[in-house]
Amino acid sequence: MLYMNWNIELAYLVTPKSGPMRAMRTLGDVNRAYLDDLSAQRRLGRHWFAVGRLLMAAATSGSRIYVMLATDALLMALEIEGWMTRQPRVRRAKVHEMTVPTSSRRPADKLELPLALAA
């Protein structure tokens, strides 16, 4: 029977800035995030598959080298997903409908200049 030590700390704390995964400090944190936060379809990706294999090797052997490799693979997978950068929040402007009397509407050719300047 294989004994896996999930309490081993990662080489460094990994905290994604976006995406579904949580902050991870130990191999157990990565294991929970890997299984609970990622869909089965996403785990089939090459980068996540590599994280899973290195995670198992680190937990089984307890080797500091495997822990470092697993941590680096995790960071690389998060980078590939784009979860190590925070996406700026876009404020949605409230759109108010204005009613313009039909007599004051300009012909379409008069609107072309302001639209061209706005582009």
Side-chain angles (χ1 to χ4, degrees), residues 8-12 14 24-27 30 64 67 71 74:
I8 298 172
E9 290 205 2
L10 297 175
Y12 43 88
V14 178
M24 295 161 276
R25 181 180 306 277
T26 65
L27 295 177
V30 179
R64 222 38 220 162
V67 172
T71 306
L74 172 64

Side-chain angles (χ1 to χ4, degrees), residues 5-8 10 25-34 55:
N5 185 359
W6 296 110
N7 296 321
I8 298 172
L10 297 175
R25 181 180 306 277
T26 65
L27 295 177
D29 294 341
V30 179
N31 187 39
R32 276 188 294 285
Y34 186 84
L55 182 65

